[in-house]
Amino acid sequence: MKKLDNLVQDFLAQKKIAVVGVSDKRDTGCNLAYKKFKESGYQVYAVNPRISTFEGSACYADLKSIPEKVDAVFLLTSPKVTEQVIQQCIELDIRHVWMHCMMGTKPGLAAGMTSVSQSAVELCNSNGIAVIPGSCPNQFLKPDFGHAMMKGMFKLFGFMNYPN
C-alpha cells in the first residue's frame, strides 16, 4: 500500500483541484468529495458540462473553461468521460489525477462503479501524470464512519493495493 499512500499524499499536497462529475440531480460521492476538498482548505472547481453553478459557485463545462490552471483533477465519471478528461489534462499540463473506484483499486470487482479506464491510466503513465487508479478521497479527507470502514475493509482484503 506504500505506493498508493505516496500517490495520495502527493495528490493531497496540491492546492487547486478540479472535481469532475458533480451533480445537481442527486447527492453523489463526487459531491461529497467536492465538499470535503473545500472544507479541507483546497481551492475547488466543479466540472459538469450540464450545469453552470454548483454549491453556490461557478461550475465549468470542462477543464479548459476553468479560469486558472488547476494542480490536480478528481474524476467520478464514466470511464469514457475519464478518457476525454485525461486528454485535457495532457493538453493543460495537469500532473495529478485521481480516478474514483467504489472497490478500492480493483475496478473489476465493481465494473459499473468505477471511473477507471485502463487506456486513460496508460495515457497518464506515458505522459508523466501521477495517477491514482481507484479508491476515493473521501476515505482520506477526514473520513466519516462509512468511508473509514470501507478503507479498513478494502485494505484488509487487499483492495487498496496499487495495481501493477
Side-chain angles (χ1 to χ4, degrees):
M1 180 134 147
K2 183 76 169 147
K3 186 171 185 179
L4 179 61
D5 286 339
N6 292 343
L7 286 167
V8 168
Q9 285 177 354
D10 288 347
F11 186 95
L12 296 177
Q14 307 311 304
K15 302 295 181 214
K16 299 177 201 165
I17 300 176
V19 177
V20 181
V22 295
S23 175
D24 64 342
K25 300 255 186 235
R26 60 189 174 87
D27 208 14
T28 66
C30 193
N31 294 2
L32 180 61
Y34 176 92
K35 292 173 190 171
K36 290 266 193 177
F37 282 125
K38 199 165 201 162
E39 290 168 2
S40 297
Y42 294 91
Q43 191 170 344
V44 187
Y45 298 91
V47 179
N48 182 325
R50 200 180 43 72
I51 57 179
S52 60
T53 61
F54 179 76
E55 297 279 315
S57 296
C59 185
Y60 300 93
D62 56 23
L63 298 179
K64 294 176 184 179
S65 301
I66 298 172
E68 62 181 311
K69 183 180 182 230
V70 297
D71 303 316
V73 175
F74 169 70
L75 297 111
L76 203 163
T77 63
S78 73
K80 185 178 272 189
V81 171
T82 296
E83 292 171 13
Q84 296 167 1
V85 173
I86 297 308
Q87 286 296 337
Q88 290 181 29
C89 289
I90 293 166
E91 293 169 26
L92 296 170
D93 196 34
I94 297 169
R95 295 284 159 215
H96 298 274
V97 170
W98 192 326
M99 300 173 193
H100 179 270
C101 180
M102 177 74 173
M103 298 296 287
T105 58
K106 306 293 183 196
L109 295 173
M113 294 185 274
T114 187
S115 298
V116 179
S117 155
Q118 195 53 46
S119 62
V121 171
E122 290 167 11
L123 264 175
C124 287
N125 290 332
S126 64
N127 284 279
I129 298 172
V131 60
I132 301 171
S135 191
C136 175
N138 296 330
Q139 296 172 345
F140 296 88
L141 291 168
K142 300 177 193 159
D144 56 42
F145 179 76
H147 281 95
M149 288 294 294
M150 282 189 276
K151 182 180 176 190
M153 297 266 304
F154 293 165
K155 187 175 181 180
L156 178 67
F157 292 113
F159 296 172
M160 296 292 274
N161 295 333
Y162 188 81
N164 295 331

